[in-house]
Amino acid sequence: MAHWPWWLQTTLVYVAARLLSACIFMAAAIHQGVNPWFPAAPDYWSFITIWDGRWYAEAADNGYPPTLPVNGQGDVQENAWAFYALFPFLARGLGTVTGLGTLQSLTAVAMVSGLGAALVVFRLFREFAGRRTALWGVAFFATFPVSAILQVPYAEPLNILLLAAALLLVVRRRYLAAMPVVLLMCLSRPTGVPFAAMMGFLLLHRLWLRFGPRRPEDAPPARELASLAALVLVSGLGALAWPAIAWATTGDPAAYTRTETVWRGHDLVPFKPWFDTGRMLFGPVLGIMAPFVFAGLFALLMVSRPVRALGLELRLWCTCYMGYLLVFLHPQTSTFRMLLPLFPLALGAALLSRSKAYRGTVVVMFSLLQIVWIVWLWAWAQLPGGGDYPP
């Protein structure tokens, strides 16, 4: 196996991880009781299409509402504007060409995108590590406790594919080539804002190298800075594209944010949900401290030796994305899934030790935690107050 092509090695690792996840899904499906979507004990293909998969199917079949649906009190109701268009529209195109049903097309796009993401992630990791370590990094990514999301009709696989491709092009300083990839990424999931922030900080760093008091010999040339500045602009416009489309279609400037916050049950207030959740989990004193402790621990992670080996661009991405989550995210059970764009840290984990025992243990523990995630969050079981925790 050591002499096999990199793409074959990566494919085998990824497919093995997805087969493991499929076995966990099938075991959980046997015990699935009454639920909002189908009869108890569904088959595998039905079981993986629940939750947001049904919303993406709604967007693929019926598009997006021209006006925001509201109740008698004027409150916006759940609707498709919370779900970015690239994934459902690709599935609709596939269904038109092949005759597949909507959910089957969504699943096919997700599965192919997940494999493509693994291949691009390997190429990205090879920029910073040897072949064996990069492959272990892919194994960590492919078995991460929420990695089962890469084979269900969610937009995460497509988004990770485009994000990894954009990061690879940025690392290689092919800024102009990254522009169309970034625009597509911004239409797949809300990762445009942290990506634009990362590019802005990267531009400031490059400008400092070029015009600072200690200009190094390898300072970036003016042409590279111009390309980077153009990518910053494109990234910023891409980050605003989906909210702007929602505004243009519905006539409501806050159509996207009003829809997104429906699931929260309250308006968007930066940082506040983290402190609310902290107080709920740890009490009035420790709860206030908890977000600061979390941010401090993440900062220590970013300056650790294995993570420093990831290079400036990947560290900037992880920092900006986590900053984005701290500012805008309402921490809940879906937070685990939203950590997947931090996949560069999988390489940092692989670089922590070359021990086969350590690396194998990580894969085993990640795989076991997939069982926890699928049984606890993916399988539906009504809570005493109604509904269930979302995955």
Side-chain angles (χ1 to χ4, degrees):
M1 183 175 178
H3 301 291
W4 292 357
W6 68 269
W7 56 267
L8 180 57
Q9 291 179 314
T10 303
T11 298
L12 290 175
V13 167
Y14 183 79
V15 170
R18 298 286 62 80
L19 288 174
L20 173 62
S21 298
C23 291
I24 300 172
F25 272 126
M26 286 186 284
I30 294 173
H31 301 282
Q32 174 64 66
V34 177
N35 61 87
W37 298 284
F38 36 63
D43 62 71
Y44 168 80
W45 297 106
S46 296
F47 189 56
I48 65 171
T49 62
I50 61 178
W51 298 104
D52 290 355
R54 301 296 167 131
W55 278 111
Y56 284 115
E58 167 68 19
D61 288 336
N62 302 314
Y64 294 84
T67 57
L68 295 181
V70 296
N71 60 16
Q73 290 72 43
D75 299 321
V76 175
Q77 301 298 287
E78 296 177 358
N79 66 86
W81 280 113
F83 304 91
Y84 283 49
L86 181 62
F87 177 53
F89 282 11
L90 284 176
R92 186 164 73 180
L94 177 64
T96 300
V97 172
T98 63
L100 287 173
T102 301
L103 287 170
Q104 292 86 350
S105 297
L106 287 165
T107 303
V109 172
M111 287 184 168
V112 172
S113 297
L115 175 57
L119 294 170
V120 178
V121 166
F122 176 86
R123 298 305 301 170
L124 177 62
F125 287 178
R126 281 290 283 123
E127 298 288 320
F128 306 98
R131 181 167 175 162
R132 183 181 297 273
T133 300
L135 195 60
W136 274 107
V138 171
F140 289 179
F141 161 72
T143 57
F144 191 65
V146 299
S147 64
I149 206 71
L150 297 171
Q151 65 198 76
V152 306
Y154 270 49
E156 271 78 0
L158 178 62
N159 179 252
I160 296 297
L161 168 60
L162 295 168
L163 172 61
L167 289 173
L168 179 60
L169 291 169
V170 169
V171 166
R172 293 178 175 178
R173 303 191 181 187
R174 298 177 59 189
Y175 303 126
L176 296 180
M179 290 181 182
V181 179
V182 171
L183 288 176
L184 290 174
M185 180 196 73
C186 290
L187 293 173
S188 63
R189 274 192 57 77
T191 48
V193 170
F195 194 89
M198 177 200 76
M199 296 311 304
F201 284 120
L202 185 61
L203 176 60
L204 291 176
H205 174 73
R206 296 279 193 262
L207 288 171
W208 176 258
L209 291 179
R210 172 79 179 184
F211 300 107
R214 297 182 179 180
R215 179 177 175 178
E217 293 183 0
D218 59 345
R223 183 175 181 179
E224 179 182 311
L225 290 174
S227 299
L228 178 54
L231 180 55
V232 172
L233 176 61
V234 168
S235 300
L237 293 174
L240 299 174
W242 185 243
I245 292 170
W247 176 8
T249 303
T250 64
D252 186 340
Y256 170 70
T257 54
R258 291 182 68 193
T259 298
E260 187 66 45
T261 54
V262 170
W263 279 265
R264 305 183 183 205
H266 55 76
D267 293 335
L268 173 64
V269 180
F271 298 108
K272 183 177 180 293
W274 287 89
F275 293 99
D276 292 342
T277 302
R279 286 193 293 268
M280 181 184 69
L281 295 176
F282 306 112
V285 177
L286 293 179
I288 295 296
M289 298 173 57
F292 295 104
V293 172
F294 176 78
L297 292 174
F298 188 80
L300 290 176
L301 175 64
M302 287 297 98
V303 299
S304 64
R305 179 186 58 82
V307 175
R308 289 201 308 271
L310 301 183
L312 175 64
E313 293 87 353
L314 296 191
R315 285 184 290 132
L316 267 179
W317 162 250
C318 292
T319 301
C320 289
Y321 183 71
M322 182 55 71
Y324 169 80
L325 295 183
L326 288 172
V327 174
F328 296 110
L329 179 68
H330 177 207
Q332 54 173 316
T333 48
S334 295
T335 303
F336 301 113
R337 170 170 56 89
M338 295 179 186
L339 297 178
L340 199 58
L342 294 172
F343 70 87
L345 296 179
L347 180 59
L351 289 167
L352 181 62
S353 172
R354 296 182 180 275
S355 165
K356 291 182 180 179
Y358 158 75
R359 291 172 169 176
T361 299
V362 170
V363 169
V364 171
M365 292 305 298
F366 279 179
S367 301
L368 292 174
L369 287 172
Q370 278 191 59
I371 300 175
V372 176
W373 186 80
I374 291 173
V375 173
W376 174 38
L377 293 177
W378 190 264
W380 195 89
Q382 183 168 311
L383 297 171
D388 190 18
Y389 295 120

